[in-house]
Amino acid sequence: GENVEQHPSTLSVQEGDSAVIKCTYSDSASNYFPWYKQELGKRPQLIIDIRSNVGEKKDQRIAVTLNKTAKHFSLHITETQPEDSAVYFCAASKRYSTLTFGKGTMLLVSP
Amino acid sequence: EAQVTQNPRYLITVTGKKLTVTCSQNMNHEYMSWYRQDPGLGLRQIYYSMNVEVTDKGDVPEGYKVSRKEKRNFPLILESPSPNQTSLYFCASTGGATNEKLFFGSGTQLSVL
């Protein structure tokens, strides 16, 4: 089955800096790559996603890039703010009903 | 309001005492799934269902059962809970096809003593 590796497991940045979280996947048939944000004590929520026919997608301060050849995708957060502090999960799927998640990255943004 | 309703929010039980965690969605989604979340292990899929009466195992199905008798409901059953099933559980649904966004329930923190 699909295997998703996510790095780093923790990431500390200063407010205003950029943050990058990277994921690799194993199944070349995977074609959907979402990112979820989970604040402390809350449920995961989708923040951005990308499909395999697109190389990059942006939404305000967040962007996701995909390299199908290398089978990796990344989340970029610019101008980080304290409210960006959370656990971020990447995921991959080739069937929309079955997502395989990475183990998560705890992002800490210090004021 | 579109939502996935999961109950209970917290549950403490003892080894071997059967329990059910309920999950219901009001979005007419065909696809529903259960995940468990453990520190350092992320979200791991337990079971999923593509439609009524259609269920399949995820990555960690041992010790769990599910049923999908109605489209809106997808309960998770632990016939004989053990301490290694102590975890945070999430139910989720998606419309699939053109909308793969997962809608998660609020979670159930289960402790098996």
Side-chain angles (χ1 to χ4, degrees):
Chain A
E2 175 65 275
N3 182 49
V4 177
E5 299 283 342
Q6 182 172 348
H7 299 280
S9 56
T10 60
L11 179 59
S12 294
V13 300
Q14 291 291 119
E15 182 177 0
D17 288 350
S18 295
V20 180
I21 302 170
K22 298 181 179 181
C23 290
T24 60
Y25 60 99
S26 61
D27 191 338
S28 57
S30 288
N31 58 7
Y32 176 65
F33 308 93
W35 287 87
Y36 284 80
K37 175 184 180 181
Q38 185 180 28
E39 297 176 352
L40 188 62
K42 301 285 183 65
R43 71 195 78 186
Q45 293 193 306
L46 179 71
I47 55 171
I48 195 167
D49 56 11
I50 192 168
R51 300 181 190 280
S52 58
N53 59 346
V54 176
E56 183 176 3
K57 184 177 179 180
K58 290 182 180 180
D59 183 2
Q60 299 183 345
R61 295 187 297 107
I62 61 173
V64 57
T65 58
L66 171 66
N67 183 325
K68 285 189 297 183
T69 303
K71 290 191 284 189
H72 69 69
F73 56 112
S74 301
L75 178 71
H76 304 254
I77 305 175
T78 58
E79 300 173 22
T80 54
Q81 302 167 1
E83 51 265 39
D84 293 328
S85 295
V87 178
Y88 291 80
F89 293 98
C90 63
S93 76
K94 59 182 178 182
R95 289 183 298 152
Y96 48 80
S97 61
T98 305
L99 272 175
T100 299
F101 285 87
K103 294 183 178 179
T105 296
M106 180 177 289
L107 173 64
L108 300 172
V109 181
S110 303
Chain B
E1 179 189 356
Q3 60 184 1
V4 178
T5 303
Q6 191 179 331
N7 284 298
R9 186 73 175 88
Y10 301 95
L11 180 57
I12 301 174
T13 190
V14 295
T15 299
K17 186 176 182 180
K18 180 179 178 180
L19 67 90
T20 300
V21 184
T22 63
C23 175
S24 179
Q25 50 90 7
N26 63 0
M27 295 168 279
N28 201 36
H29 284 167
E30 292 182 341
Y31 305 90
M32 300 185 73
S33 55
W34 278 101
Y35 292 87
R36 62 177 287 174
Q37 184 176 13
D38 302 288
L41 297 179
L43 291 156
R44 294 180 292 167
Q45 190 178 62
I46 303 171
Y47 269 95
Y48 65 96
S49 170
M50 300 177 74
N51 213 327
V52 175
E53 303 292 1
V54 180
T55 63
D56 207 349
K57 296 177 180 179
D59 297 319
V60 288
E62 295 77 21
Y64 304 94
K65 284 177 58 177
V66 293
S67 68
R68 189 89 181 275
K69 294 184 172 62
E70 302 167 285
K71 194 172 186 178
R72 63 182 290 124
N73 296 323
F74 190 44
L76 178 70
I77 303 157
L78 284 71
E79 295 269 4
S80 183
S82 62
N84 64 12
Q85 293 179 298
T86 292
S87 187
L88 177 59
Y89 292 86
F90 285 101
C91 178
S93 72
T94 177
T98 59
N99 178 13
E100 281 124 312
K101 175 182 177 180
L102 275 180
F103 290 82
F104 282 89
S106 54
T108 296
Q109 181 63 60
L110 172 65
S111 295
V112 183
L113 306 178

